[in-house]
Amino acid sequence: MLGWAITFLIIALVAAFLGFSGIAAASTGIAQLLFFVFLVLFIVAMVARAVRGRPPV
């Protein structure tokens, strides 16, 4: 999922550089959404691992 967020961020940067503001805005929004979903899932996984008794990596 983090890979998709980085992909959309790169698309947004290229689109912004070329002047496609609509595509850049949409790609930036998607990249932000995917990054925060990834971050929440990562935190949930770390908490679940700590609750089961194994320390976080």
Side-chain angles (χ1 to χ4, degrees):
M1 188 170 306
L2 188 58
W4 281 104
I6 292 171
T7 301
F8 277 106
L9 178 63
I10 291 171
I11 290 171
L13 291 174
V14 170
F17 179 73
L18 296 175
F20 299 112
S21 59
I23 296 171
S27 295
T28 303
I30 293 170
Q32 285 178 342
L33 176 70
L34 288 174
F35 176 75
F36 287 119
V37 168
F38 169 79
L39 192 63
V40 167
L41 290 175
F42 177 73
I43 291 170
V44 167
M46 289 294 111
V47 168
R49 185 176 176 108
V51 167
R52 286 188 296 185
R54 291 188 273 174
V57 175

